[in-house]
Amino acid sequence: PAASAPSGPAEPAVDSPSPLLLPPDLRLTPEQFELVCQANPEAVLELTADGQLITMTPTGGDTGARNHSLSLVLALAARGSGLPLKLFDSSTGFRLPDGSVLSPDAAAVRQERWQALSPEQRRGFPPLCPDLVIELASPSDQGPRGAEALRRKMAADMANGAQLGWLLFPEQRAVELWQADGAGGEPGPQRLEGATQLEGGELFPGLVLELEEIWAS
């Protein structure tokens, strides 16, 4: 026999929340962007200079392992150099002078610049551009982790005051060197093939980044 229907009023169906869709023409101020990040702590987001939200997908295993190795190797390099540098990983967003909020895979700020910030400024997105920025390109050329997107990001960092940028291509064991205008480098990036280490030169004397551990990750 068929089961009898339950007595009493039926419970209303509970729909799972739909994913939040953002209109393509949405523009946020840096203050609004910070509120969005606070409301979505698991999301990886950046903000362009014109207020456009960039959603970053989680990295794959290889890129995640290389990011971890990059942080360790940079810490060893900074310690060996004796330079007064404050280091940051990929979870840190910097509020740049043009109004964008970008998160390099690794970054270094000279201690005197960091110390000049107020405690409140340090707790939020630091309102400065790092002196050194490092990015790891993914195998794909598409999306925010692709080579062209990272080149645009590097160019923005240089325009906002970064002194030196290293764009790493693990699959090719190659590096693009970026320097700000007037820093003594050639116009545009310079590419190094088969690189095994990077040196900070006159900008960061004694800073030597060993690449083999990053390439092998």
Side-chain angles (χ1 to χ4, degrees), residues 71-93:
S71 295
L72 294 176
V73 171
L74 179 60
L76 289 174
R79 184 180 304 170
S81 72
L83 296 173
L85 298 174
K86 188 75 172 179
L87 305 182
F88 302 88
D89 65 13
S90 60
S91 63
T92 308

Side-chain angles (χ1 to χ4, degrees), residues 63 66-71 73-74 105-106 132-141 145-148 150-151 154 165-178 189-193 195-199 209-217:
T63 302
R66 288 188 176 115
N67 265 318
H68 178 67
S69 295
L70 172 58
S71 295
V73 171
L74 179 60
D105 286 324
L132 169 66
V133 292
I134 308 175
E135 297 283 2
L136 276 167
S138 69
S140 170
D141 282 336
R145 302 299 317 158
E148 289 308 313
L150 289 179
R151 287 187 179 110
M154 275 287 183
W166 292 331
L167 176 51
L168 311 184
F169 295 88
E171 301 296 320
Q172 296 84 35
R173 292 179 172 244
V175 180
E176 284 185 3
L177 307 179
W178 291 70
Q190 303 172 54
R191 187 175 174 94
L192 297 179
E193 303 288 350
T196 59
Q197 65 176 210
L198 294 169
E199 298 183 4
L209 190 74
E210 300 292 344
L211 296 173
E212 284 300 333
E213 184 174 344
I214 300 171
W215 296 158
S217 296

Side-chain angles (χ1 to χ4, degrees), residues 3-206:
S4 59
S7 60
E11 292 291 332
V14 178
D15 294 330
S16 58
S18 300
L20 180 63
L21 300 178
L22 301 175
D25 58 348
L26 176 68
R27 295 295 183 267
L28 301 175
T29 66
E31 292 77 16
Q32 292 170 329
F33 174 73
E34 188 162 5
L35 293 176
V36 170
C37 292
Q38 291 172 1
N40 299 272
E42 300 302 319
V44 183
L45 306 170
E46 291 184 320
L47 187 71
T48 65
D50 64 355
Q52 185 176 3
L53 193 66
I54 301 174
T55 304
M56 311 286 286
T57 58
T59 63
D62 284 344
T63 302
R66 288 188 176 115
N67 265 318
H68 178 67
S69 295
L70 172 58
S71 295
L72 294 176
V73 171
L74 179 60
L76 289 174
R79 184 180 304 170
S81 72
L83 296 173
L85 298 174
K86 188 75 172 179
L87 305 182
F88 302 88
D89 65 13
S90 60
S91 63
T92 308
F94 293 91
R95 182 172 174 175
L96 306 188
D98 66 2
S100 61
V101 180
L102 301 181
S103 302
D105 286 324
V109 175
R110 299 185 190 277
Q111 279 284 3
E112 64 269 20
R113 297 183 65 216
W114 178 252
Q115 293 298 328
L117 299 180
S118 68
E120 182 179 2
Q121 289 174 321
R122 295 179 203 169
R123 283 192 295 269
F125 298 128
L128 52 74
C129 185
D131 298 292
L132 169 66
V133 292
I134 308 175
E135 297 283 2
L136 276 167
S138 69
S140 170
D141 282 336
Q142 304 299 318
R145 302 299 317 158
E148 289 308 313
L150 289 179
R151 287 187 179 110
R152 291 192 296 270
K153 189 174 173 182
M154 275 287 183
D157 284 322
M158 296 298 111
N160 277 278
Q163 295 181 300
L164 181 62
W166 292 331
L167 176 51
L168 311 184
F169 295 88
E171 301 296 320
Q172 296 84 35
R173 292 179 172 244
V175 180
E176 284 185 3
L177 307 179
W178 291 70
Q179 291 193 44
D181 293 340
E186 297 292 332
Q190 303 172 54
R191 187 175 174 94
L192 297 179
E193 303 288 350
T196 59
Q197 65 176 210
L198 294 169
E199 298 183 4
E202 295 181 359
L203 292 171
F204 300 93

